[in-house]
Amino acid sequence: MTAVVEGITVDETALAELEGAFRGQIVRPDHPSYEEHRKIWNGSIDRRPALIARCAGVADVIGAVKFGRRTGLPVAVRGGGHSFPGLSVADDALLIDLSLMKGVRVDPEARVARVQAGVLLGELDKETQAFGLAAPSGIVTHTGVAGLTLGGGIGWIMRKHGLSVDQLRRVDVVTANGEFVQATPEENADLFWGLCGGGGNFGIATEFEFNLVPVGRTVLAGPVFWPMEDSPEVLRFYRDWVADAPDELMTIVVHRKAPALPFVPEELHGKPVVMVIACWCGDVEDGEKAIAPLKAFGKPVADVCVPKPYLAHQAMFDPSFVPGRWYYFKSCDVPGLTDEIIDTTVEHSLKIQSPLTSFPIWQMGGAVSRVGEDETAFNGRNAGFTYNIGASTADEAGFDEEREWVRTFWSSLEPHFTTVYVNFLMDEGEDRVRQAYGPEKYDRLKALKRRWDPDNFFRINQNISPT
Ligand SMILES: Cc1cc2nc3c(=O)[nH]c(=O)nc-3n(C[C@H](O)[C@H](O)[C@H](O)COP(=O)(O)OP(=O)(O)OC[C@H]3O[C@@H](n4cnc5c(N)ncnc54)[C@H](O)[C@@H]3O)c2cc1C
């Protein structure tokens, strides 16, 4: 027997068997919650899966994978739904949604956390911070732990404690055959290596185990603002100042129109500004000394870099990346901020139109660069800075123009590109995925894909094709 789901013919017997054994929820297109569950973070993505399997646990994931195999439906996998190009939802596909899998268990003595695949960064932080601990993660609380970790995971404490994958101990995986395996540096070590940056290519991660690091509950952190017209001097000073920064210091530079937030002086609202946002994860007094030269440079128009709860700083960017707005990104790594790169950056930043566009330049290095390039699938450990040129509008209005701004700006940096972070790619095709990993690592990942997913069952992702 067959059923027609959203115009797709689905094997009714297989669907009944899936539903009979399923602990979570199967959402068909006529279900009242379908619209809610097909939505992802980037509002410009509007796709209609044939079915949404909202898994409650590993057994549901195994059932959903076997159902996908049996019916031949393409399979999309969703953790936190924050893929820039929307690679966690697809038209006419089976969407395996992990967002119900919210378990976090912290062992404060062993300093280890077990984290299920539907957990968001802010949820993990709240559990670990109860003990003054943290797992290195990213800078927006509603991002998914799963997708972020599988791509590498860069964030505020990475220069001191490494990437998310540098503190990863174990991943539980449901393979393309629906088998459950564990991957650690000792067990299925090849798979573990690939999961540390190779994305969702090798299976569905159902649980992660991280080492936790002591960060305490307070960091010295926040932005210092200057008018954007001062950016050529600010960036030249900044480049020299961070050149020999200690690992405790991590910074992100943002160019944007100043948001109407309480700590931004009213006369600046809507005016172009450059901000250097610092996060010092060490002794606060030492941090105050280290950050003093930045605060004293030129004539800052606002300075809210102060001691604050780690949880508050982790949420600082949330208002800039609200779910449902329209987003577009292009990214690249550069070795350093040369005069030419600085001038190009300022020239294009002054052309930002949308009041919502806010693009970060990430300071890399520190602990990230001290792990060997071949130790994980993550590539780009020697990057100096990561440009994540992003545009944002409230909806369709003005989106095309802002996207064009991104493309033009990104192209003008092309002579300086080195690597690119796979989690910051749009849907840019195989050549760009190869560039992200570099040819040697890409070949190694291809061989791994042939071993763990020879049919390319998991292909709605930054795909590493087995052939
Ligand atoms: C607002 C925002 C802030 C961000 N900040 C950072 C940051 O600070 N640091 C950083 O490193 N990155 C950051 N990113 C990029 C982020 O790492 C990627 O978008 C990442 O893919 C998001 O993971 P997710 O689980 O939310 O996404 P999803 O869209 O659910 O998944 C992304 C990809 O991973 C696959 N996937 C998801 N879960 C699994 C799983 N359990 N098993 C197998 N495959 C899976 C999906 O199929 C998809 O291909 C940010 C993105 C956004 C939108």
Side-chain angles (χ1 to χ4, degrees):
M1 279 220 314
T2 55
V4 177
V5 180
E6 188 77 348
I8 308 272
T9 307
V10 174
D11 180 337
E12 184 70 24
T13 314
L15 188 52
E17 276 177 29
L18 175 68
E19 281 180 319
F22 211 72
R23 206 155 63 84
Q25 186 190 23
I26 304 289
V27 178
R28 300 177 186 223
D30 58 358
H31 192 275
S33 69
Y34 175 80
E35 288 302 316
E36 177 196 339
H37 297 310
R38 78 181 180 88
K39 281 202 185 106
I40 54 164
W41 169 80
N42 187 345
S44 75
I45 310 289
D46 179 21
R47 298 188 187 135
R48 304 185 65 83
L51 280 177
I52 306 175
R54 306 190 66 224
C55 301
V58 174
D60 284 355
V61 176
I62 292 172
V65 166
K66 290 190 170 163
F67 175 80
R69 277 257 171 232
R70 193 165 158 187
T71 56
L73 281 175
V75 166
V77 180
R78 174 196 168 127
H82 275 48
S83 153
F84 291 165
L87 292 171
S88 38
V89 63
D91 284 328
D92 306 330
L94 166 66
L95 169 50
I96 301 183
D97 177 1
L98 308 167
S99 62
L100 291 175
M101 293 174 60
K102 289 287 190 196
V104 179
R105 181 180 188 275
V106 174
D107 179 340
E109 292 296 313
R111 289 189 175 164
V112 166
R114 288 190 201 152
V115 186
Q116 282 191 313
V119 172
L120 307 180
L121 304 190
E123 294 164 346
L124 174 58
D125 282 342
K126 281 183 183 150
E127 293 296 334
T128 56
Q129 275 289 284
F131 308 99
L133 301 169
S137 69
I139 63 165
V140 175
T141 64
H142 42 74
T143 315
V145 170
L148 177 130
T149 302
L150 293 169
I154 65 176
W156 283 119
I157 60 172
M158 69 173 165
R159 287 175 39 83
K160 174 84 178 155
H161 299 292
L163 303 169
S164 304
V165 291
D166 296 335
Q167 299 296 346
L168 193 58
R169 298 160 57 91
R170 175 181 56 85
V171 189
D172 289 350
V173 179
V174 174
T175 67
N177 288 330
E179 277 162 21
F180 177 81
V181 296
Q182 297 195 20
T184 72
E186 291 80 35
E187 189 181 353
N188 294 313
D190 63 336
L191 177 61
F192 184 79
W193 179 88
L195 293 166
C196 291
N201 273 287
F202 309 108
I204 301 184
T206 54
E207 187 176 281
F208 300 85
E209 189 173 294
F210 293 100
N211 289 317
L212 301 176
V213 297
V215 290
R217 292 188 180 79
T218 305
V219 285
L220 173 63
V224 182
F225 291 67
W226 295 262
M228 206 190 286
E229 70 223 34
D230 295 352
S231 184
E233 297 79 41
V234 171
L235 287 190
R236 282 169 170 81
F237 162 81
Y238 164 80
R239 159 190 76 191
D240 299 339
W241 173 64
V242 294
D244 52 4
D247 292 352
E248 283 76 8
L249 181 68
M250 162 67 196
T251 55
I252 292 180
V253 177
V254 170
H255 289 81
R256 65 166 300 163
K257 291 184 174 172
L261 292 173
F263 57 81
V264 181
E266 221 176 302
E267 61 277 13
L268 273 184
H269 292 180
K271 302 258 167 59
V273 290
V274 56
M275 315 172 211
V276 177
I277 304 146
C279 178
W280 177 272
C281 63
D283 178 80
V284 168
E285 271 181 35
D286 291 347
E288 272 160 355
K289 281 185 214 130
I291 297 175
L294 176 76
K295 289 166 170 258
F297 180 77
K299 292 196 178 110
V301 285
D303 173 356
V304 272
C305 182
V306 292
K308 62 178 61 146
Y310 177 73
L311 285 177
H313 187 60
Q314 283 288 90
M316 180 209 139
F317 271 117
D318 286 6
S320 302
F321 296 99
V322 173
R325 289 180 185 161
W326 286 40
Y327 295 94
Y328 182 80
F329 294 86
K330 292 282 265 184
S331 190
C332 62
D333 296 336
V334 298
L337 296 177
T338 60
D339 285 352
E340 201 185 336
I341 292 179
I342 289 175
D343 293 340
T344 304
T345 302
V346 180
E347 180 198 332
H348 289 275
S349 299
L350 285 165
K351 293 179 185 157
I352 291 172
Q353 290 297 318
S354 169
L356 302 179
T357 286
S358 161
F359 92 88
I361 305 171
W362 299 65
Q363 177 199 1
M364 301 300 291
V368 176
S369 62
R370 287 193 295 271
V371 174
E373 195 56 81
D374 288 336
E375 285 183 44
T376 57
F378 175 87
N379 203 40
R381 289 189 178 271
N382 294 320
F385 295 86
T386 290
Y387 272 66
N388 191 16
I389 308 170
S392 172
T393 53
D395 49 32
E396 203 173 350
F399 185 67
D400 287 354
E401 292 78 2
E402 207 69 354
R403 183 175 53 195
E404 206 40 47
W405 168 79
V406 173
R407 289 177 174 155
T408 310
F409 182 0
W410 179 81
S411 298
S412 68
L413 286 175
E414 208 161 347
H416 312 285
F417 289 180
T418 52
T419 37
V420 58
Y421 176 31
V422 73
N423 269 357
F424 287 170
L425 286 178
M426 292 301 280
D427 204 351
E428 299 176 45
E430 184 173 352
D431 276 357
R432 284 285 281 163
V433 178
R434 173 188 276 269
Q435 267 174 34
Y437 292 112
E440 280 165 29
K441 216 173 260 190
Y442 188 70
D443 286 347
R444 187 169 166 189
L445 286 163
K446 254 180 172 329
L448 205 56
K449 181 79 171 172
R450 279 195 290 277
R451 165 141 193 240
W452 290 94
D453 183 15
D455 310 325
N456 210 3
F457 180 74
F458 298 114
R459 60 181 175 279
I460 302 172
N461 46 36
Q462 296 297 352
N463 195 233
I464 298 160
S465 156
T467 53

